[in-house]
Amino acid sequence: MSTRVPTHDRGLQAAFLESAGTPAARTLRTASLMEALRWTQLLQLPAFVVSPAHTGVISQPITCRSADELMSAWRKIRQAAAAQRLDDHVVVQELITGRHYVVDRSAENPAAAVRIWAEAHGPLGHRDRYRLPRTGLLHRSLSLYTARVVTTIGIEDETVLCRIARDPDRGFLLLSAVVLRPGQEDDSAPEHACLGPGRIRLTPDRVVRLKGRRSAK
């Protein structure tokens, strides 16, 4: 039997997965800047990502490589959360430079309605995505990991959008899982609003860049 954790909180998702033995990115959820600074120093991370703990906060994740950058990002994230009257806890997460994936899992048909996109970074900082074919070991492996994640968190009956990274040594690692509201489009999910330059719309057949450029099918 699964135990449901707050599905709107990136930090609690990561902590719960870790306690259950499911791999996830190393993550700190905190309301203390000093704790965040100590944590990054303790782990000696070369780079890390700062984002709102609450997935409903519209604010871009910020990549940091120093204490000064962390303090600047902290202020921006907290101000955005306060302006939107949402939980102002902050998540500091290791930056995983391997391949990233977006997994769209439907509650209506969780076994078959999984759409997966691989994410690539363009030379100008844009993010392009291409859809993975359903046949193949990678698609199956990601589907199985996603099923394990949503069952562990307790959201197996929801429509979920997961961001997953692949680390060469540790395998698949959850970055965050966002529960989509009934009728909510993929590109309107707060998680997608946080993607920064080149925000995209996911469609069944292609990736469409909202700034007017379109990737090939």
Side-chain angles (χ1 to χ4, degrees):
M1 180 181 297
S2 61
T3 301
R4 189 182 181 95
V5 300
T7 57
H8 61 268
D9 196 302
R10 293 180 179 88
L12 293 180
Q13 290 173 1
F16 192 81
L17 288 175
E18 182 180 1
S19 67
T22 301
R26 287 178 290 185
T27 302
L28 173 71
R29 176 187 184 273
T30 182
S32 167
L33 175 58
M34 292 305 299
E35 183 181 12
L37 291 168
R38 287 194 298 268
W39 186 79
T40 55
Q41 291 172 356
L42 178 65
L43 269 62
Q44 296 184 334
L45 299 174
F48 42 91
V49 179
V50 182
S51 59
H54 198 296
T55 58
V57 177
I58 306 301
S59 179
Q60 295 183 13
I62 302 172
T63 300
C64 302
R65 292 178 172 82
S66 68
D68 287 340
E69 290 181 356
L70 171 55
M71 289 187 286
S72 175
W74 182 275
R75 288 192 295 270
K76 293 177 182 178
I77 297 296
R78 294 290 292 266
Q79 288 171 359
Q84 296 167 55
R85 298 182 180 181
L86 292 173
D87 187 348
D88 63 356
H89 277 75
V90 173
V91 161
V92 184
Q93 192 173 72
E94 64 175 315
L95 176 65
I96 301 174
T97 57
R99 177 75 69 178
H100 288 198
Y101 302 92
V102 177
V103 180
D104 181 13
R105 181 183 178 279
S106 172
E108 297 178 357
N109 193 353
V114 175
R115 300 182 297 170
I116 303 176
W117 287 262
E119 186 175 80
H121 296 263
L124 300 179
H126 294 298
R127 297 187 183 188
D128 291 317
R129 291 178 182 166
Y130 59 91
R131 186 171 175 181
L132 295 183
R134 286 185 179 274
T135 58
L137 180 60
L138 179 57
H139 191 287
R140 175 171 172 78
S141 298
L142 277 162
S143 298
L144 290 173
Y145 174 77
T146 301
R148 180 180 176 186
V149 164
V150 299
T151 300
T152 301
I153 296 177
I155 52 176
E156 62 268 35
D157 296 328
E158 306 278 3
T159 296
V160 183
L161 197 71
C162 293
R163 288 183 54 79
I164 298 169
R166 189 174 192 177
D167 181 82
D169 299 320
R170 292 176 289 164
F172 296 124
L173 301 171
L174 180 74
L175 301 178
S176 65
V178 177
V179 175
L180 300 183
R181 300 185 304 271
Q184 183 178 10
E185 297 292 337
D186 292 337
D187 68 323
S188 66
E191 187 73 6
H192 280 76
C194 294
L195 290 181
R199 185 165 70 93
I200 53 87
R201 171 180 289 120
L202 303 183
T203 72
D205 300 317
R206 64 182 184 272
V207 178
V208 180
R209 195 185 306 283
L210 293 187
K211 290 189 176 181
R213 299 175 59 190
R214 187 171 67 187
S215 67
K217 291 185 180 181

